[in-house]
């Protein structure tokens, strides 16, 4: 068991899957000769060559479409989109093609692509580099959407995504590529479905995904110091949602906070509250609270950016409110 | 080409015309729903190009006017008609309809409603052919209207840079839905537009199947030899509107009459008669046998087929045979980091 960085975990998954199956290729902007914006494919061009680590022009919609077409003929492309903001350009091929082809062909043609992309705010990247957009993908039938919170899932979910026959969107995070965590030395697959109880607690459930799990964990530490026991649930997959694990946790703690880095409207938090309402409304002892971004494009100014994006103290404050401590 | 192949080709085009016209009738009877885009008038293009390709081996993909391409590529006509009827026996199990015919058993990889979307999908199919090292190619049929999408330019660029084995067939029928080409497009000769991407290209008469076959055969040889993509433009005309909801008010009667005189079935039939390959009587017999086949076999099959079961509504959305190692369930308490 070694401790490695998030980007190294992604790189290792690429390397193992490329070695395992010649039909696996990677494609994206600057992923080959340049080694990848986040180093997630560094060294692979030298090892696997230009035909399998494909540097694309800046044409997101069509290179995604080319990956989809290749997948229809038996290949397993891992498509990197440099920022989820740019994935908006590829929505036609992703949503109108990849997500629908299996269904509209009556199950006769699959599109086993993986699209990896960082979605999140980082350090003053301003509005056009700071979108999160997970909510848009999670509402699309025919896709799988996963949000690895650390190196183990970043590694093991990418491996599963490559093997799975469905199109999988992996949402990473600009601020997590250097985050370190333990990953087994032996080959490991992590499932693309299932929420995970990251920390067991009894007084309140803090629900997060991707980077916001870490805000929940930090808030849980502070609550523990105050003698309050928070359970932290990592959704892991935004599509499909693991309703059972959410229900079981809420039935135990009776109180919920949902932390999302995105804006609130029509979002992950709204969906999770709907799930809770449908699954276990009468288990709730207090009204659930969402912690979310301000309803504005993300500003450049450091102070304004900080004010727009939720942090661990915001999660803590929400939890105390739900717990009736304020 | 010998006389029996010539007769077969003429019969195929008559069959495709009747298939489309019969779909029109079924649509008017409300047995077919949604949008229906008919290929009448353009038969020589798909028939001629695919006659020179290796159907079942090469990949074929197109837009929403896809019935004839699918059948010529090898999809059973019965299943295509059943798909128009939305039946479980249809090419796409009734889930796709007229615009989304698929038959991967013959490498017909679909019809798509998003104009221009098949460009990158075709290049991707070609990328797979190249990667596997087979002598397959991908053939992408689209209309002139598709060339004003960004995917046209993006895909031409990548197909050229990566020397992909893909043949782009532009069926220039002069109208992007209801807008005439010179009103929407700065360069009306479509083959000229790909010179910016260093792709060889040519323009031909799309109403004469002999011309189509000769031109397509050269283009396919180029692509199959590994020399990269080729763009071939055929000038053609649809005899019906864009879809069934089209008033067809944007074309002059004079223009329509002129193109009707250049009906591909008439051109080829006249040539075969002149060459004494067949007589008017033979053609009449051919038309009758086509009518019988479509009515008593193709349409009968579609009408007699079962509807999909409502219980199967969610089937085919995701792979229901997924290995639990890839999708779960997740065992709690095994997490690290």
């Amino acid at each position: 068991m070694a401790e490695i960085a998030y980007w190294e975990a992604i790189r290792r998954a690429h390397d193992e899957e490329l070695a395992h199956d010649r039909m696996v290729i990677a494609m994206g902007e600057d992923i080959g000769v340049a080694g990848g914006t986040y180093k997630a494919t560094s060294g692979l061009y030298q090892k696997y060559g230009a035909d399998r680590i494909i540097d694309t022009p800046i044409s997101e919609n069509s290179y995604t479409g080319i990956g989809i077409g290749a997948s229809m003929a038996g290949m397993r492309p891992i498509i990197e989109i440099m920022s989820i903001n740019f994935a908006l350009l590829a929505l036609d091929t992703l949503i109108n093609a990849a997500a629908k082809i299996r269904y509209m062909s009556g199950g006769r043609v699959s599109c086993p692509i993986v699209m990896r992309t960082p979605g999140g705010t980082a350090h003053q990247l301003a509005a056009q580099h700071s979108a999160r957009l997970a909510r848009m993908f999670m509402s699309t039938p025919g896709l799988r959407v996963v949000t690895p919170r650390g190196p183990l899932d970043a590694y093991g979910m990418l491996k599963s995504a490559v093997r799975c026959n469905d199109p999988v969107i992996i949402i990473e995070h600009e601020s997590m590529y250097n985050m370190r965590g333990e990953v087994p030395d032996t080959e490991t697959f992590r499932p693309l479905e299932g929420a995970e109880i990251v920390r067991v607690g009894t007084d309140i459930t803090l629900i997060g995904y991707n980077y916001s799990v870490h805000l929940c964990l930090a808030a849980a530490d502070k609550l523990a110091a105050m003698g309050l026991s928070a359970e932290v649930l990592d959704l892991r997959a935004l599509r499909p949602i693991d309703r059972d694990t959410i229900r079981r946790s809420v039935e135990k703690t009776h109180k919920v906070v949902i932390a999302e880095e995105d804006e609130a409207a029509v979002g992950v938090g709204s969906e999770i509250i709907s799930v809770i309402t449908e699954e276990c409304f009468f288990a709730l002892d207090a009204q659930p609270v969402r912690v979310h971004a301000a309803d504005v494009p993300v500003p450049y100014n450091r102070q304004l950016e900080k004010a727009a994006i939720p942090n661990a103290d915001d999660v803590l404050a929400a939890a105390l409110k739900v717990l009736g401590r304020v | 080409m010998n006389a029996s192949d010539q007769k077969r080709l003429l019969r195929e085009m008559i069959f495709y015309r009747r298939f489309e016209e019969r779909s029109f009738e079924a649509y008017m009877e409300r047995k077919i729903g949604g949008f229906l885009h008919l290929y009448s008038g353009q038969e020589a293009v798909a028939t001629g190009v695919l006659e020179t390709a290796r159907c079942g081996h090469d990949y074929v993909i197109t837009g929403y006017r896809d019935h004839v391409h699918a059948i010529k590529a090898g999809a059973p006509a019965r299943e295509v008609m059943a798909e128009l009827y939305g039946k479980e026996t249809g090419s796409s199990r009734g889930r796709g309809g007229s615009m989304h015919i698929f038959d991967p058993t013959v490498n017909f990889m679909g019809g798509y409603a998003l104009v221009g979307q098949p460009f990158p999908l075709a290049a991707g199919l070609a990328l797979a052919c190249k990667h596997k090292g087979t002598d397959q190619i991908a053939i992408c049929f689209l209309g002139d209207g598709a060339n004003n999408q960004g995917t046209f330019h993006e895909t031409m660029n990548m197909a050229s840079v990566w020397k992909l084995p893909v043949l782009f067939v532009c069926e220039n029928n002069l109208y992007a839905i209801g807008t005439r080409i010179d009103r929407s497009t700065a360069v009306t000769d479509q083959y000229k537009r790909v010179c910016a991407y260093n792709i060889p290209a040519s323009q031909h008469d799309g109403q004469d199947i002999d011309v189509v076959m000769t031109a397509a055969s050269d283009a396919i040889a180029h692509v199959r030899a590994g020399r990269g993509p080729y763009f071939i433009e055929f000038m053609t005309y649809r005899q019906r509107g864009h879809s069934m909801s089209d008033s067809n008010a944007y074309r002059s009667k004079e223009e329509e009459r002129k193109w009707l005189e250049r009906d591909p079935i008439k051109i080829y039939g006249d040539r075969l008669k002149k060459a004494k390959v067949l007589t008017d009587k033979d053609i009449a017999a051919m038309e009758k046998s086509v009518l019988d086949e479509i009515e008593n076999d193709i349409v009968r099959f579609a009408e007699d087929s079962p509807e999909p079961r409502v219980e199967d509504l969610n089937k085919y959305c995701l792979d229901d045979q997924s290995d639990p190692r890839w999708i779960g369930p997740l065992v709690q308490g095994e997490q690290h980091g």
Side-chain angles (χ1 to χ4, degrees):
Chain A
M1 186 87 70
E3 198 182 86
I4 60 174
Y6 197 100
W7 68 266
E8 290 174 298
I10 298 167
R11 189 196 169 282
R12 179 177 152 194
H14 273 92
D15 194 6
E16 288 179 10
E17 292 305 301
L18 284 155
H20 169 259
D21 181 356
R22 213 182 73 81
M23 290 297 118
V24 176
I25 56 170
M27 51 199 302
E29 295 154 8
D30 277 3
I31 68 160
V33 173
T37 308
Y38 307 104
K39 297 187 284 186
T41 49
S42 55
L44 300 177
Y45 179 88
Q46 290 72 17
K47 188 168 175 183
Y48 296 99
D51 291 341
R52 295 189 67 198
I53 310 296
I54 302 174
D55 278 317
T56 65
I58 304 170
S59 306
E60 286 84 0
N61 194 30
S62 295
Y63 77 67
T64 300
I66 288 175
I68 294 164
S71 79
M72 292 161 69
M75 297 192 65
R76 303 250 159 196
I78 306 170
I79 301 163
E80 178 177 301
I81 304 269
M82 200 181 275
S83 157
I84 202 166
N85 301 263
F86 314 157
L88 288 171
L89 288 153
L91 287 188
D92 175 48
T93 46
L94 270 174
I95 293 182
N96 278 322
K100 294 176 182 169
I101 284 172
R102 181 180 179 81
Y103 196 86
M104 69 185 192
S105 70
R108 301 182 85 189
V109 178
S110 302
C111 299
I113 58 146
V114 180
M115 191 195 90
R116 299 178 33 248
T117 186
T121 54
H123 41 87
Q124 293 186 267
L125 301 182
Q128 293 190 331
H129 276 87
S130 300
R132 289 119 296 170
L133 302 177
R135 55 190 169 152
M136 194 172 54
F137 294 107
M138 77 184 286
S139 67
T140 303
L143 296 178
R144 291 181 175 278
V145 182
V146 300
T147 53
R149 74 167 187 282
L152 176 67
D153 269 350
Y155 159 77
M157 289 177 112
L158 174 52
K159 285 179 65 74
S160 294
V162 171
R163 305 283 178 109
C164 172
N165 289 328
D166 302 316
V168 182
I169 312 288
I170 303 182
I171 300 177
E172 299 165 0
H173 197 290
E174 297 242 2
S175 298
M176 291 203 297
Y177 286 112
N178 289 316
M179 184 176 283
R180 300 183 73 80
E182 287 189 340
V183 177
D185 299 326
T186 52
E187 181 175 59
T188 302
F189 293 91
R190 295 280 291 165
L192 299 169
E193 292 184 14
E196 182 173 343
I197 304 298
V198 184
R199 174 180 177 133
V200 177
T202 51
D203 297 331
I204 187 168
T205 301
L206 309 180
I207 299 178
Y209 62 96
N210 197 309
Y211 189 72
S212 72
V213 178
H214 301 285
L215 305 184
C216 294
L217 287 168
D221 280 344
K222 293 180 181 188
L223 288 166
M226 300 163 74
L228 295 162
S229 164
E231 178 145 302
V232 176
L233 185 151
D234 175 7
L235 291 168
R236 292 182 73 254
L238 298 182
R239 184 169 194 94
I241 295 273
D242 177 358
R243 303 171 74 98
D244 283 349
T245 303
I246 295 170
R247 177 181 46 76
R248 278 199 296 270
S249 182
V250 174
E251 283 175 348
K252 181 170 73 170
T253 64
H254 310 290
K255 297 182 185 69
V256 188
V257 166
I258 299 129
E260 57 192 317
E261 199 184 308
D262 211 341
E263 295 104 36
V266 203
V268 180
S270 357
E271 181 60 25
I272 298 306
I273 290 176
S274 295
V275 166
I276 292 168
T277 307
E278 289 160 1
E279 293 285 329
C280 53
F281 178 74
F282 293 105
L284 288 170
D285 280 351
Q287 102 189 32
V289 169
R290 290 180 289 178
V291 178
H292 55 83
D295 204 18
V296 292
V298 177
Y300 164 71
N301 175 274
R302 192 180 167 83
Q303 298 277 39
L304 293 178
E305 182 189 52
K306 215 171 148 224
I309 304 304
N311 58 35
D313 286 337
D314 296 327
V315 180
L316 175 67
L320 291 172
K321 183 180 164 197
V322 173
L323 286 161
R325 297 301 181 102
V326 282
Chain B
M1 179 168 274
N2 64 37
S4 84
D5 279 336
Q6 288 175 319
K7 284 188 226 171
R8 173 179 55 80
L9 275 185
L10 181 66
R11 189 184 189 280
E12 282 180 15
M13 287 200 288
I14 292 171
F15 180 92
Y16 300 145
R17 176 71 54 85
R18 180 58 200 156
F19 185 97
E20 295 293 73
E21 297 304 314
R22 186 62 183 80
S23 313
F24 173 84
E25 291 162 26
Y27 187 90
M28 298 313 280
E29 294 165 17
R30 296 178 183 271
K31 288 178 174 169
I32 295 174
F35 288 127
L36 185 70
H37 307 82
L38 302 178
Y39 196 59
S40 300
Q42 301 184 206
E43 292 89 347
V45 181
T47 314
V49 171
L50 293 178
E51 180 67 19
T52 54
R54 287 168 63 188
C55 291
H57 181 69
D58 295 331
Y59 287 102
V60 179
I61 190 165
T62 186
Y64 40 78
R65 202 179 304 284
D66 60 350
H67 315 157
V68 171
H69 303 76
I71 298 169
K72 180 63 181 170
R78 281 174 151 205
E79 295 181 14
V80 176
M81 185 62 85
E83 187 60 32
L84 305 191
Y85 274 70
K87 297 296 182 75
E88 183 66 27
T89 54
S91 308
S92 304
R93 314 304 182 230
R95 271 69 167 182
S98 162
M99 296 178 281
H100 309 303
I101 307 289
F102 285 81
D103 191 343
T105 65
V106 295
N107 287 345
F108 182 76
M109 304 311 277
Y112 297 84
L114 276 295
V115 176
Q117 192 178 65
F119 285 127
L121 301 181
L125 294 165
L127 183 88
C129 298
K130 188 175 181 185
H131 187 79
K132 293 176 189 171
T134 68
D135 68 347
Q136 292 164 290
I137 67 169
I139 303 174
C140 177
F141 290 88
L142 282 173
D144 47 294
N147 301 344
N148 288 330
Q149 286 280 10
T151 49
F152 168 81
H153 299 277
E154 294 181 349
T155 303
M156 292 304 143
N157 180 50
M158 284 182 273
S160 183
V161 170
W162 299 336
K163 279 200 165 311
L164 299 180
V166 54
L167 173 66
F168 297 106
V169 180
C170 175
E171 303 195 44
N172 187 346
N173 65 18
L174 306 175
Y175 288 85
I177 313 180
T179 301
R180 204 176 61 224
I181 189 163
D182 58 290
R183 298 183 59 235
S184 64
T185 307
V187 175
T188 55
D189 286 328
Q190 298 303 295
Y191 76 102
K192 291 180 182 169
R193 300 177 76 183
V194 299
C195 72
Y197 302 105
N198 202 19
I199 294 176
S202 52
Q203 184 188 57
H204 311 270
D205 177 12
Q207 300 307 88
D208 183 336
I209 194 169
D210 283 326
V211 172
V212 173
M213 286 191 291
T214 304
S217 163
D218 291 346
I220 286 172
H222 170 97
V223 175
R224 207 181 300 284
R227 294 164 64 200
Y230 193 98
F231 183 96
I232 193 164
E233 177 183 9
F234 292 108
M235 302 308 295
T236 186
Y237 200 75
R238 58 173 153 70
Q239 293 180 356
R240 290 196 170 276
H242 166 74
S243 73
M244 303 310 300
S245 54
D246 185 348
S247 65
N248 216 1
Y250 47 83
R251 306 196 297 196
S252 72
K253 292 287 162 250
E254 172 59 20
E255 181 182 284
E256 289 184 355
R257 192 188 55 71
K258 215 178 79 192
W259 278 94
L260 271 176
E261 283 169 13
R262 302 215 65 244
D263 183 306
I265 296 173
K266 182 174 175 293
I267 290 174
Y268 198 51
D270 287 350
R271 181 171 305 143
L272 297 191
K273 277 191 284 181
K274 206 169 161 195
K276 311 265 188 255
V277 172
L278 35 65
T279 63
D280 278 326
K281 209 176 131 197
D282 294 333
I283 293 178
M286 204 177 256
E287 281 167 349
K288 181 170 184 313
S289 97
V290 164
L291 270 176
D292 285 349
E293 183 185 348
I294 288 189
E295 209 52 45
N296 299 321
D297 181 28
I298 310 298
V299 171
R300 173 68 50 81
F301 175 79
E303 297 204 338
D304 290 351
S305 288
E307 302 275 344
R309 301 183 320 156
V310 175
E311 306 91 275
D312 290 336
L313 177 65
N314 295 315
K315 206 172 163 186
Y316 308 133
C317 195
L318 293 176
D319 180 12
D320 53 11
Q321 307 291 317
S322 268
D323 189 321
R325 278 179 297 171
W326 323 142
I327 62 163
L330 177 78
V331 180
Q332 297 293 336
E334 283 195 345
Q335 81 274 11
H336 315 261

